[in-house]
Amino acid sequence: MVDLTQYNPAFLALGLTALLMLLQLLIADVLAIVKKQTPGFPIENNHASLLFRANRAHLNINESIAIFILSIAFAIAMNANSNVINGAALIYFAARAFYALSYYFNFKLMRSALFAVSLVALIVINLAGFVAWF
């Protein structure tokens, strides 16, 4: 039986990531209202627009959240090293949070670096799960 309490920091990272997603959704929605974006119509593809960047930041986390959740679930089910899982999960969350800020402020190089950090964190979680499985 897996002692789930050893993964509390990873569960915290899941909850914080959910909160981050909610905040990103609210930011994108409020900006759309302020900019009088017509619902159902595409947002202009323009990196100079904060609305575009906020929307892309929100959409981007939606692209990786399923991988994060499935990776955490797999690693925990395999009773993977909790220190590795907890650390990588918290790094994923921090990278995604700072990624969003970098997107909002249009810091392109920082945004790309933080995306890479979050991707490495996902790989580490998966690898830890497979190491435990073998």
Side-chain angles (χ1 to χ4, degrees), residues 1-11 72-73 76-77 79 82 86:
M1 184 63 98
V2 176
D3 174 19
L4 294 179
T5 61
Q6 68 182 327
Y7 297 104
N8 279 347
F11 291 126
I72 293 288
I76 290 173
N79 201 21
S82 61
N86 293 334

Side-chain angles (χ1 to χ4, degrees), residues 8-70:
N8 279 347
F11 291 126
L12 175 63
L14 283 168
L16 289 171
T17 303
L19 181 60
L20 175 63
M21 292 181 73
L22 178 60
L23 288 172
Q24 286 181 282
L25 175 63
L26 291 173
I27 289 167
D29 284 350
V30 168
L31 283 171
I33 291 167
V34 168
K35 298 287 186 181
K36 298 183 181 205
Q37 172 69 31
T38 304
F41 283 81
I43 294 171
E44 181 185 353
N45 188 7
N46 179 1
H47 276 279
S49 165
L50 178 57
L51 173 57
F52 173 78
R53 294 191 314 270
N55 189 59
R56 283 302 308 144
H58 172 67
L59 292 174
N60 191 272
I61 198 168
N62 283 324
E63 294 169 359
S64 71
I65 192 63
I67 299 166
F68 181 55
I69 294 168
L70 290 170

Side-chain angles (χ1 to χ4, degrees), residues 84-104:
V84 172
I85 301 310
N86 293 334
L90 290 169
I91 288 169
Y92 172 85
F93 164 72
R96 294 308 309 192
F98 286 111
Y99 171 90
L101 287 173
S102 296
Y103 221 141
Y104 297 150

